[in-house]
Amino acid sequence: MAEQKATGDQTFQARVGPVESPVTLEVHPAAGDLPPWDLDSRLRAVTGRHPRLEAPQKVTGRAKYTYDVRLPGMLWAKMVRAQIPAGKIVRIDTARAERLPGVKAVWTADAEWVRFAGQDIAAVAAISQEIAEDAARLVEVQYEATPFVTDLEEAMAPTAPLVFAAGPAPASPNAPRRGNVTGPLAPATAGGARGGSRGDIQKGFAEADAVHEATYRLAVHTHAVLETHGVVAHWEGGQLTVYASTQGVFMVRAALAEAFGLDRKRVRVITEHMGGGFGNKLHPSAVGSAFAIVACRLARQTGAPVKLMLDRHEEQLCTGNGPGARIAIRLGARRDGTLTAIQHRAHTEGGIGQSARTGGPAGSLYPQCPNVALEEYEVFTNAGPTCALRAPGHPQGAFAMESAMDELAHRLGMDPLEFRRKNDMHPFRRQYYDVGAKAIGWARRNTTPGAGAGPKKRGIGMAHGNWYVLVREAVAVEVRVHRDGGVELFHGAQDLGTGIRTVLAVIAAEELGLGPADITVHVGDTRLPPGPTSGGSVTTNSSGPAARLAAHQARARLAALAAPLLQATPSELDFVGGQIVVAADPARRVSFREAAQKMPGEVIACLADRKRQFEAVRQDLAATQFAEVEVDVETGVIRVLKMVGLINCGTAINPLTAENQLIGAQIQGASWALFEQRTLDQNVGTMVNPNLEAYKILGPADMFEAVPILTTGANAGNNTSATGIAEPVFVPTLAAIANAVFNATGVRIRQLPMTPDRVLAALAEARKEGRP
């Protein structure tokens, strides 16, 4: 690719959008930025399929996670947690724990009230993990138990015990609170990509020829990440270093600096490798659990490094959950399938925290619908708190909205795919219908739901999902080219397991004409140039543009060194295959290393900030999932046989890892749809499945054929034209599976997970009512 010069306030014409229906978009990059890669860009490294750079370290066990950190003189810490769901803390006695040989320090919480079983009460630090655990069991806590409520519907009753009867409750701005229910909540947004309430909902239903109304219920989900939360905290004078399993090293640094009254430059946070995170590792401590700050306090108190790793029980219990929800959907449409009204009313279960909004899909999936009313409430219960979990609130909202769309299509006698197509003008999503239908074999689906002989019935369904183009602009990347031709890239953002190391290397390799493996990438350290938190599908489209710009600056300096050797001008040169060539005469070339050896010093260092976001085709992200299932109507067991996922994420940086995001979303979505649910004992208020044996997740025996499809397109918005992918591809999965189950059985299951007992109960109810 011939050199593109960094620009001032110039105007560029970019050919963007879906490759089947491109548009020419006028874009105005900020001063010093580059024009975006578009449909006419001839990309090499970016479109290749590259294995992760860190894969050899991970498969050989050389990758160092927080648990693997061992510092001289390190102590182990263990939390003590509340054993009751509600009550007053009368006394915390740590005397026996302090007398245990090997115990070096204790900490007790300032809280007066317990609001869920698992809340922080105390902590101990000792010379070994075993002694710390023994000491924690010696801490005596006296409570005055009070009434509690753990069920969403029960908590909504006016007579329910108040979760926040004493002390302040988490506040939602401008929203009234009655008992445990807060709302209606103020709109999260007004218009734009996120849609929202609009029009006259009563008029919309009056114009409808068919109306569907139903209530959908979803369980609370835990994150079930592979690596539990944990930190190693170490003070050296007034300098605090923390190794953390976190999605946001800079967020953790800011919070710890505030907690201890330090300048941020005196706090360093490191995440070399991380074993997964879906949102509950965004903050310095698990939501509702201050374990990270506790570890730092114990380390300062003892003058020794302290490791505090949560065990699996704690991870499932108190590190934050995806909210359960009860969502009432009412839809209206004309006989020809044109939507006239969408009404969404949701109560989400936040435990002791604030809940996620679920109305995004109802408000924005079908913006052509003129009349939309969204009404949302959050409900407190005596349970662990809600926190962000992969597209917060949107999988729940899409399950309700897209199940209702299928039900309304059935009522109208329309193919659910064609019903959606009629109401969908999204330029990227309109590519998905025919491509996805062909890949899943839509023509094989039952025209009459439940048709087919034998006890094992198959069905096919689909659903749409959405998310938003979110970016963080306070981002920078440094690229260094050494005299021997070696290249390093430095960026502070952490890799939570999705492969940002490789993404950044691919982008830099594109500019420098190298392979991604030729670039050594350093990430996950607050001493490096700033990066975003990894959540909300922001990392690639926040960090990538800065990486491209820094690599481009290095390219320009190398071109200036190579030009005299080739008797050409820098603008005539191309970088390809480790060579710098004259674009018009590729036989005239020098190697990348030869050019680097001409630098006057030992290194060329280029630091680039991410420039502001500019014009894009869309500010929302659209994904679709198709599913095929088999339902045994005698046992109630559902098996997913195949899933086809589609998304256009703009320029797909390294399709191999991008496809992994799609497949991961299908697996996680199937797990939610069929297995996952947090279960609390209604009598004592404690969690009965705080492990990965009783908290069921999809396993290898449940795996299905997973087909990821990245449709071709470019979105502009930044110089890479890339957008996010992790959130939108997860959002439609639950509904796609539920719709396939209906097509297989003719019975609608409106509560997740769709366990065998619920399937059998739904089939029995249908027979009782005389339905096939």
Side-chain angles (χ1 to χ4, degrees), residues 189 191-196 357-367 374 390-399 401-402 424 426 429 432 463-470 536-537 618-625 646-647 724-733:
T189 56
R194 299 189 185 222
R357 308 291 182 89
T358 61
S364 58
L365 271 179
Y366 302 101
L374 308 180
R390 199 168 189 177
H394 284 60
Q396 294 89 335
F399 167 67
M401 178 65 194
E402 286 295 276
D424 187 5
H426 197 290
R429 197 161 51 228
Y432 306 162
H464 290 323
N466 68 308
W467 191 242
Y468 315 102
V469 177
L470 306 177
S537 296
R618 298 288 298 194
Q619 297 301 326
D620 61 335
L621 302 172
T624 298
Q625 294 280 6
L646 303 99
I647 190 171
I725 187 172
E727 263 70 20
V729 292
F730 179 50
V731 172
T733 313

Side-chain angles (χ1 to χ4, degrees), residues 41 236 270 435 453 495 646 749:
S41 298
E236 294 177 294
I270 301 169
V435 175
D495 189 336
L646 303 99
I749 300 175

Side-chain angles (χ1 to χ4, degrees), residues 656-680:
L656 180 62
T657 49
E659 289 171 359
N660 287 345
Q661 288 284 344
L662 256 173
I663 295 170
Q666 292 169 338
I667 294 171
Q668 190 173 26
S671 190
W672 276 31
L674 302 182
F675 301 109
E676 295 189 43
Q677 59 178 332
R678 183 195 66 185
T679 304
L680 300 179

Side-chain angles (χ1 to χ4, degrees), residues 336-682:
D336 66 357
T338 302
L339 281 171
T340 61
I342 299 172
Q343 189 171 33
H344 170 105
R345 189 171 189 265
H347 289 81
T348 52
E349 180 179 355
I352 64 163
Q354 293 176 267
S355 298
R357 308 291 182 89
T358 61
S364 58
L365 271 179
Y366 302 101
Q368 283 70 34
C369 180
N371 306 297
V372 176
L374 308 180
E375 190 176 336
E376 304 208 47
Y377 301 82
E378 54 191 16
V379 183
F380 294 124
T381 58
N382 291 109
T386 289
C387 68
L389 202 173
R390 199 168 189 177
H394 284 60
Q396 294 89 335
F399 167 67
M401 178 65 194
E402 286 295 276
S403 294
M405 284 289 287
D406 247 46
E407 295 196 65
L408 183 53
H410 183 67
R411 184 182 293 265
L412 289 166
M414 292 185 68
D415 182 319
L417 183 149
E418 296 303 331
F419 178 45
R420 288 176 173 85
R421 195 197 309 253
K422 183 173 183 63
N423 290 282
D424 187 5
M425 293 294 109
H426 197 290
F428 288 122
R429 197 161 51 228
R430 288 186 69 82
Q431 301 175 82
Y432 306 162
Y433 289 99
D434 293 339
V435 175
K438 180 178 179 181
I440 198 68
W442 188 259
R444 296 184 293 109
R445 71 183 294 274
N446 301 315
T447 53
T448 301
K456 293 186 177 181
K457 297 180 179 295
R458 294 190 175 190
I460 295 174
M462 67 168 293
H464 290 323
N466 68 308
W467 191 242
Y468 315 102
V469 177
L470 306 177
V471 300
R472 303 290 182 265
E473 295 183 348
V475 168
V477 171
E478 182 180 7
V479 170
R480 298 179 191 172
V481 181
H482 296 273
R483 190 180 181 85
D484 64 359
V487 180
E488 293 182 283
L489 185 150
F490 300 85
H491 183 54
Q494 56 294 307
D495 189 336
L496 75 165
T498 54
I500 192 62
R501 281 181 178 86
T502 308
V503 165
L504 296 175
V506 166
I507 291 171
E510 184 67 50
E511 284 292 328
L512 296 173
L514 301 173
D518 297 325
I519 298 171
T520 301
V521 179
H522 306 272
V523 297
D525 190 333
T526 54
R527 287 190 175 177
L528 302 181
T533 55
S534 296
S537 296
V538 305
T539 313
T540 295
N541 50 314
S542 295
S543 303
R548 184 188 173 202
L549 193 53
H552 183 84
Q553 292 172 4
R555 170 192 173 121
R557 293 176 65 177
L558 284 167
L561 297 173
L565 303 177
L566 296 169
Q567 298 181 334
T569 63
S571 63
E572 295 177 306
L573 302 183
D574 196 5
F575 285 56
V576 56
Q579 303 288 314
I580 302 175
V581 306
V582 178
D585 184 7
R588 294 161 57 193
R589 61 179 56 207
V590 296
S591 71
F592 187 91
R593 182 172 183 175
E594 288 176 282
Q597 289 172 341
K598 295 298 180 181
M599 69 177 66
E602 289 299 315
V603 65
I604 291 173
C606 300
L607 178 67
D609 297 321
R610 189 198 193 281
K611 306 302 180 184
R612 62 166 172 78
Q613 192 80 348
F614 52 80
E615 295 82 2
V617 178
R618 298 288 298 194
Q619 297 301 326
D620 61 335
L621 302 172
T624 298
Q625 294 280 6
F626 289 79
E628 181 177 8
V629 303
E630 181 179 81
V631 183
D632 188 326
V633 296
E634 293 180 344
T635 66
V637 172
I638 300 169
R639 287 192 58 84
V640 177
L641 302 177
K642 182 177 182 179
M643 292 203 74
V644 175
L646 303 99
I647 190 171
N648 190 305
C649 55
T651 302
I653 311 295
N654 190 18
L656 180 62
T657 49
E659 289 171 359
N660 287 345
Q661 288 284 344
L662 256 173
I663 295 170
Q666 292 169 338
I667 294 171
Q668 190 173 26
S671 190
W672 276 31
L674 302 182
F675 301 109
E676 295 189 43
Q677 59 178 332
R678 183 195 66 185
T679 304
L680 300 179
D681 188 312
Q682 299 283 314

